[in-house]
Amino acid sequence: MRIGIVGAGSIGLLFAAYLHRVFEVTLYTRTEAQADWINKHGVQLKKGIGPLTAQVNAVPLDKGIGEAELTIIAVKQYQLESILEGLPQGGNYLFLQNGMGHLNALAHLSAENIYVGSVEHGALRENPTTVSHNGAGITRVAVYRGSSELLENFARNVPDFFPIQIAGDYYKMLANKLAANAVINPLTAILGVNNGELVNNKYFEKALEGLFDEVAQILSFTDRTNALTKVKGICRNTAENRSSMLKDLDAGRPTEVDAILGFLVDEAYRKKLKTPMISTYYHLIKGRELASRREMR
Amino acid sequence: MRIGIVGAGSIGLLFAAYLHRVFEVTLYTRTEAQADWINKHGVQLKKGIGPLTAQVNAVPLDKGIGEAELTIIAVKQYQLESILEGLPQGGNYLFLQNGMGHLNALAHLSAENIYVGSVEHGALRENPTTVSHNGAGITRVAVYRGSSELLENFARNVPDFFPIQIAGDYYKMLANKLAANAVINPLTAILGVNNGELVNNKYFEKALEGLFDEVAQILSFTDRTNALTKVKGICRNTAENRSSMLKDLDAGRPTEVDAILGFLVDEAYRKKLKTPMISTYYHLIKGRELASRREMR
């Protein structure tokens, strides 16, 4: 099976390194320099002891995205728009963005099959060719449009230690991930704490519950108690992790706040719901982004 | 005029140093050591060039509070309860606490005249005998119970460069100060920024406005636009200042969050108002306090 992977950030590199073992992988990078490095040195996967090298074929994005049986789109949501324009028509695509804001854009895409996924791995890009796999998890995928045949074939063939699990309901799957992201990311980013602190500190836990209630209302969760338990479980299971939003803020990079809280603010507006806490965290994170852009100048 | 000052923190030392020039001042300290230091070395007031020394009479609190024509209570609100028990009956008192939570306690106090004040100075206690007067402002005072005669006499006699201004409505005076404290303190403390950032960053300004609206509703402000303009004006006028709550959190000290946001949470409950943002900031600050107590252990 020929697999294309668009985007060579932490998730793109992680998928390239693992899928390379069983599929023919082409990795599309934003810069020509990164493609050159990868073609020369391979992708280094760091997990436990020393790095494993995967000799992946890399191509800069501006050379165009070629045909593949399945093309995985592993860019951040805010980079998606420009990518969508360049996709070959009629292909099969798996989108791995956080949030749910990209779903509207997918509705208009000309494609044979469209799948969406939710990546539950901890991964950190250390340099343009090296990814560290810090937290082993799974990838959940679901059919957004089309048939599940190709997706099932893909999931059956991935290595056991990099599992892909098929979910029945893409909306529910992404909503659960979004709820966790919407609660854990902003709180840890504003407070500068590891995920575990949100449940080890009774006051932070209260703040988490307040924010969660607004998120659950917007996403129309039917079993809020169960969903809240899951979010707290993620905090415990990833207690020592620093969330992606915290890492992005600390490094002065843009965060995914628009894909996560921005999407929820828009949904709340559409559903005529009041969400003062979500708006508050949205403004605090956007303000921190603005402040760090000013410092960089 | 004999003046007692209870509490030798930044505000107590500041008042002692200035009022000593025109009144006979007795300063009551929490520890005997501090009283000894002050009796030996005086109170050092740092403002602009080098320190001025005021030879103030200091007495440790556990020796009891003596009679004075006016006794100024300059302890934090959370230290007030124990002080109230030891006050001589029938005296004249000026209370300088932040917030409005202390008003209920004052209602039951046996006293001739009760005044309340709002201190708009920037002051930092550098050590047990030294206070730095960083931001020159004024002190607003008002009658809480009794007649204004003594207060007017006091205000007329203070040094020109340490002005005391009499306000007509104690509730409005304290409510305005509380609104500024409730908005500026938590936001700067959580974000770790100077006061000016709250109006120089459009996202932080949005967060400020959201929080202010909840505060204004609880305090029944009739002219919200005007009150909001005042709060933003304070941010601009004290742009380079670090708020007391930010300094307290950074130093691992307890903050005045209960006197400020805790009071508003209780008021909102009493008035059956929903205040999700105030609750959020309350929990974030309480959580930061808890986290820093754990680190200190």
Side-chain angles (χ1 to χ4, degrees):
Chain A
M1 198 173 193
R2 278 180 301 119
I3 302 281
I5 298 176
V6 179
S10 57
I11 299 301
L13 290 175
L14 188 76
F15 273 68
Y18 279 110
L19 299 186
H20 167 77
R21 302 192 187 186
V22 287
F23 303 116
E24 188 186 330
V25 171
T26 303
L27 179 61
Y28 297 90
T29 66
R30 203 168 51 79
T31 66
E32 193 154 345
Q34 192 183 6
D36 288 346
W37 280 322
I38 291 171
N39 285 321
K40 215 171 194 173
H41 305 292
V43 171
Q44 276 80 45
L45 174 69
K46 282 169 72 173
K47 184 174 191 303
I49 47 159
L52 289 168
T53 300
Q55 285 303 340
V56 174
N57 177 37
V59 176
L61 259 173
D62 54 17
K63 294 249 166 93
I65 296 168
E67 304 276 345
E69 273 160 281
L70 178 66
T71 302
I72 299 171
I73 314 296
V75 300
K76 300 259 183 186
Q77 191 190 296
Y78 52 78
Q79 300 162 325
L80 194 57
E81 202 177 330
S82 63
I83 299 294
L84 287 177
E85 292 165 8
L87 289 184
Q89 298 220 339
N92 303 299
Y93 298 104
L94 168 58
F95 289 88
L96 296 182
Q97 285 63 44
N98 267 326
M100 301 176 78
H102 55 306
L103 295 180
N104 286 334
L106 302 190
H108 310 293
L109 186 68
S110 153
E112 188 74 23
N113 294 296
I114 301 180
Y115 308 124
V116 289
S118 151
V119 179
E120 300 178 4
H121 288 277
L124 182 70
R125 193 180 98 155
E126 296 194 346
N127 62 47
T129 68
T130 307
V131 62
S132 176
H133 192 182
N134 297 327
I138 65 166
T139 302
R140 294 180 207 277
V141 293
V143 176
Y144 174 77
R145 199 173 75 206
S147 93
S148 64
E149 206 183 317
L150 179 75
L151 192 65
E152 284 166 14
N153 187 24
F154 170 66
R156 244 195 322 273
N157 286 294
V158 293
D160 281 350
F161 39 88
F162 193 68
I164 308 268
Q165 191 174 309
I166 296 181
D169 179 342
Y170 79 87
Y171 185 90
K172 208 169 156 184
M173 176 189 80
L174 291 184
N176 278 324
K177 179 81 186 299
L178 176 59
N181 279 334
V183 168
I184 299 172
N185 268 308
L187 271 164
T188 52
I190 287 301
L191 294 167
V193 299
N194 292 347
N195 296 355
E197 272 300 288
L198 300 186
V199 289
N200 291 332
N201 181 311
K202 64 182 173 180
Y203 298 108
F204 292 164
E205 192 171 6
K206 280 271 179 206
L208 180 151
E209 289 168 2
L211 178 55
F212 175 84
D213 279 345
E214 280 190 6
V215 174
Q217 203 193 353
I218 297 172
L219 297 175
S220 309
F221 281 5
T222 46
D223 188 348
R224 284 158 82 146
T225 314
N226 181 36
L228 177 60
T229 305
K230 274 188 188 161
V231 170
K232 290 188 182 178
I234 294 173
C235 291
R236 277 187 208 96
N237 292 337
T238 62
E240 299 302 315
N241 272 25
R242 290 166 72 76
S243 74
S244 61
M245 199 173 277
L246 174 55
K247 285 189 283 194
D248 286 341
L249 269 194
D250 281 353
R253 289 188 298 258
T255 72
E256 291 193 284
V257 68
D258 279 299
I260 297 171
L261 296 184
F263 169 78
L264 291 170
V265 168
D266 291 344
E267 281 290 287
Y269 182 79
R270 208 171 56 79
K271 294 185 173 184
K272 296 188 174 52
L273 295 170
K274 285 203 171 183
T275 54
M277 281 180 262
I278 292 176
S279 297
T280 292
Y281 288 106
Y282 178 77
H283 289 130
L284 297 184
I285 301 282
K286 291 293 279 186
R288 289 282 305 269
E289 284 187 352
L290 178 61
S292 92
R293 278 202 300 281
R294 284 181 183 160
E295 276 170 28
M296 298 277 154
R297 269 196 227 132
Chain B
M1 197 173 189
R2 279 178 302 119
I3 302 280
I5 298 177
V6 178
S10 58
I11 299 300
L13 290 176
L14 187 76
F15 273 68
Y18 279 110
L19 299 186
H20 167 76
R21 303 192 187 185
V22 288
F23 302 116
E24 186 186 332
V25 171
T26 302
L27 180 60
Y28 296 91
T29 66
R30 203 168 53 79
T31 66
E32 194 155 344
Q34 192 183 6
D36 287 346
W37 281 321
I38 291 171
N39 284 321
K40 217 171 192 171
H41 306 291
V43 171
Q44 276 80 46
L45 173 70
K46 282 169 73 174
K47 185 172 189 305
I49 48 159
L52 289 169
T53 300
Q55 286 302 340
V56 174
N57 177 36
V59 175
L61 259 172
D62 55 17
K63 294 248 165 92
I65 296 168
E67 304 276 346
E69 272 159 281
L70 178 67
T71 302
I72 299 172
I73 314 295
V75 300
K76 300 259 184 186
Q77 191 191 297
Y78 53 78
Q79 301 162 323
L80 193 60
E81 203 177 328
S82 63
I83 299 294
L84 287 176
E85 293 166 8
L87 289 184
Q89 298 220 339
N92 304 299
Y93 299 104
L94 169 58
F95 289 89
L96 296 182
Q97 284 64 44
N98 267 325
M100 301 176 79
H102 56 304
L103 295 180
N104 286 333
L106 302 191
H108 310 293
L109 185 69
S110 152
E112 188 74 22
N113 294 296
I114 301 180
Y115 308 125
V116 288
S118 151
V119 180
E120 300 177 5
H121 289 278
L124 181 70
R125 192 180 98 155
E126 297 194 346
N127 62 47
T129 66
T130 309
V131 62
S132 175
H133 193 182
N134 297 328
I138 65 165
T139 302
R140 294 179 206 278
V141 294
V143 176
Y144 174 77
R145 200 172 74 207
S147 92
S148 64
E149 206 183 318
L150 178 75
L151 193 64
E152 285 166 13
N153 187 23
F154 171 66
R156 244 195 323 273
N157 285 294
V158 293
D160 280 349
F161 40 87
F162 193 68
I164 308 268
Q165 191 173 307
I166 295 181
D169 180 341
Y170 79 88
Y171 186 91
K172 210 170 156 183
M173 175 189 80
L174 291 184
N176 278 325
K177 179 80 185 299
L178 175 58
N181 278 335
V183 168
I184 298 171
N185 268 308
L187 270 165
T188 52
I190 286 301
L191 294 167
V193 298
N194 292 346
N195 296 355
E197 273 299 289
L198 300 186
V199 288
N200 290 333
N201 181 311
K202 64 180 174 182
Y203 298 108
F204 292 164
E205 191 171 7
K206 280 271 178 205
L208 179 152
E209 289 168 2
L211 179 55
F212 174 84
D213 278 345
E214 279 191 7
V215 174
Q217 203 192 353
I218 297 172
L219 297 175
S220 310
F221 280 4
T222 47
D223 189 348
R224 284 158 81 147
T225 313
N226 181 37
L228 177 61
T229 305
K230 275 188 187 161
V231 170
K232 290 188 183 180
I234 294 174
C235 291
R236 279 189 207 94
N237 292 339
T238 62
E240 299 302 315
N241 271 25
R242 289 167 72 75
S243 74
S244 61
M245 198 173 278
L246 173 57
K247 285 189 282 194
D248 286 342
L249 270 195
D250 281 353
R253 289 189 298 259
T255 72
E256 291 193 285
V257 68
D258 280 299
I260 297 171
L261 296 185
F263 169 79
L264 290 170
V265 169
D266 291 345
E267 280 291 286
Y269 182 79
R270 208 171 56 78
K271 294 185 172 182
K272 296 187 173 55
L273 295 171
K274 285 203 171 181
T275 55
M277 281 181 261
I278 292 177
S279 296
T280 292
Y281 287 107
Y282 178 77
H283 289 130
L284 297 184
I285 301 281
K286 291 293 278 186
R288 289 281 305 270
E289 284 187 353
L290 178 61
S292 92
R293 277 203 299 280
R294 284 180 182 161
E295 276 170 28
M296 299 276 156
R297 270 199 224 131

